[in-house]
Amino acid sequence: MSVLVGSGEFTYRVEEGWGKLPEGWSLGDVGGVAVDRQDRVYVFNRGGHPMVIFDREGNFIKSWGEGRFVRPHSICMGPDDTVYCVDEGSHAVYHCTLDGEVLMTIGTPNEPGEEFSGAPFNRPTQVALSPEGDIYVADGYGNARVHKYTAKGEHILSWGEYGTDEGQFNIVHNICCDASGLVYVADRENHRVQVFHPDGRFKTQFVNLHRACGLSMQNPEDPVFFVGELGPFLAINRLYPNIGPRVSVLDKNGRLLARLGGLRAGTEPGTFIAPHTGATDSHGDLYIGEVSFSAWIPVFQTQRPAFVRSLQKFTRVPAAA
């Protein structure tokens, strides 16, 4: 019997076992997921084959990136059949064709900016594109900054510093941009999503989130957001229910529309361990990638098994007429 998750307009059927890999392959942690205009799914992962591509039914198409990336963190699909790959491990952003040819590199690979200095990049985390084609880079683990570049990779401006006030960050994680140009930033350890104007001025924030980690957007003209929330890692609250890991669906004002996941971390279909990334296709189906391998011991306090699920597909169920 199919497992259903979510509610109302955002009800999904869990596609168990989706994503058929060649024998002997493993994705490991999935840092990023994106979907192209043909509904092919690009999975940027930390296994032996960094970019794995599936068709909509989950059939393996091909892979690329072997030997190129150090620690894949996220990807952003461009409107022109190109993809931006953020490699946390080499401190660089690679603009690639969908076949893996590198068109442009932002940052100097393996030469990070000084940690905590604000100078790009020190362990960057995600890219977003403005309606005009400008590039926003979340510089998130070794810095607390958002950097803005032209489409040619020329630096325009930067904003952000460490802290908890408006415009300050405690791990700048994922980032996206809507059709009006507003920039949405998952400020992970401040438990919120901050919203900025294109020049970095603070506009508002979405709260009542727990460790907002993954951030993806459907329909940039009237956006709906999918926020992957990490669960508790602390000994004192590790078993608390109802604070993740989960995926929350929000409207453009930050109002909660639905939630996916169980009361606690789990391995059952439709539950999560560490939702890190998400994407939707043209049918409204949802793909969630997790850093389950890295999170297993902090979450479950047991030795990690050889296989851990790190990718799930959720097929949208049409609302009853």
Side-chain angles (χ1 to χ4, degrees):
M1 185 174 181
S2 298
V3 175
L4 298 181
V5 295
S7 59
E9 186 180 350
F10 297 95
T11 300
Y12 300 87
R13 181 179 67 252
V14 182
E15 300 294 346
E16 296 185 52
W18 186 92
K20 305 172 185 66
L21 289 168
E23 186 175 355
W25 287 28
S26 171
L27 292 173
D29 284 331
V30 172
V33 177
V35 180
D36 70 12
R37 291 187 290 182
Q38 298 181 47
D39 281 338
R40 295 175 298 199
V41 183
Y42 294 71
V43 182
F44 199 39
N45 70 92
R46 298 172 192 164
H49 307 274
M51 188 70 78
V52 172
I53 304 167
F54 299 102
D55 66 18
R56 186 167 175 263
E57 286 70 42
N59 299 305
F60 173 81
I61 298 175
K62 63 181 177 181
S63 72
W64 50 263
E66 291 82 356
R68 178 180 301 156
F69 303 107
V70 179
R71 184 176 171 83
H73 194 273
S74 66
I75 52 173
C76 173
M77 188 64 62
D80 55 351
D81 286 334
T82 63
V83 64
Y84 294 79
C85 304
V86 182
D87 186 13
E88 171 204 342
S90 69
H91 312 278
V93 176
Y94 300 90
H95 183 202
C96 302
T97 69
L98 297 186
D99 292 319
E101 177 189 353
V102 177
L103 303 172
M104 177 177 64
T105 302
I106 306 177
T108 304
N110 304 309
E111 293 185 16
E114 183 180 351
E115 191 175 24
F116 310 134
S117 69
F121 301 121
N122 194 295
R123 303 180 66 193
T125 48
Q126 177 61 305
V127 159
L129 303 179
S130 78
E132 298 77 27
D134 292 332
I135 303 165
Y136 295 97
V137 182
D139 199 6
Y141 287 134
N143 273 319
R145 302 281 273 175
V146 174
H147 308 286
K148 184 177 183 179
Y149 294 84
T150 67
K152 295 182 179 180
E154 301 159 337
H155 183 257
I156 300 173
L157 61 89
S158 300
W159 75 86
E161 59 185 22
Y162 291 93
T164 58
D165 293 338
E166 295 174 356
Q168 297 179 335
F169 300 111
N170 184 6
I171 298 187
V172 188
H173 206 261
N174 280 22
I175 185 170
C176 57
C177 190
D178 69 16
S180 75
L182 291 176
V183 183
Y184 302 79
V185 180
D187 185 11
R188 194 179 83 185
E189 302 304 325
N190 279 331
H191 304 280
R192 64 184 176 181
V193 171
Q194 294 196 65
V195 187
F196 298 94
H197 296 280
D199 59 3
R201 287 179 297 121
F202 175 86
K203 177 178 174 63
T204 188
Q205 61 185 356
F206 304 161
V207 293
N208 299 329
L209 300 166
H210 190 267
R211 304 183 69 204
C213 183
L215 179 63
S216 59
M217 180 178 59
Q218 178 178 286
N219 187 17
E221 290 74 23
D222 187 19
V224 170
F225 300 94
F226 298 86
V227 184
E229 298 174 70
L230 297 183
F233 278 16
L234 298 175
I236 195 67
N237 70 340
R238 185 175 294 111
L239 298 180
Y240 277 25
N242 202 34
I243 55 173
R246 63 192 180 191
V247 174
S248 291
V249 187
L250 310 178
D251 71 8
K252 63 185 177 182
N253 298 310
R255 182 174 64 93
L256 181 67
L257 301 175
R259 276 196 169 122
L260 287 65
L263 289 178
R264 294 185 178 88
T267 58
E268 301 83 7
T271 64
F272 301 105
I273 297 172
H276 188 267
T277 182
T280 53
D281 66 17
S282 66
H283 300 262
D285 297 347
L286 176 65
Y287 305 84
I288 297 293
E290 303 187 65
V291 289
S292 306
F293 286 70
S294 297
W296 183 276
I297 292 177
V299 169
F300 295 115
Q301 294 292 287
T302 61
Q303 183 175 352
R304 177 173 53 82
F307 172 79
V308 179
R309 184 190 65 215
S310 56
L311 179 66
Q312 293 189 80
K313 176 176 180 175
F314 301 87
T315 299
R316 194 164 183 178
V317 178

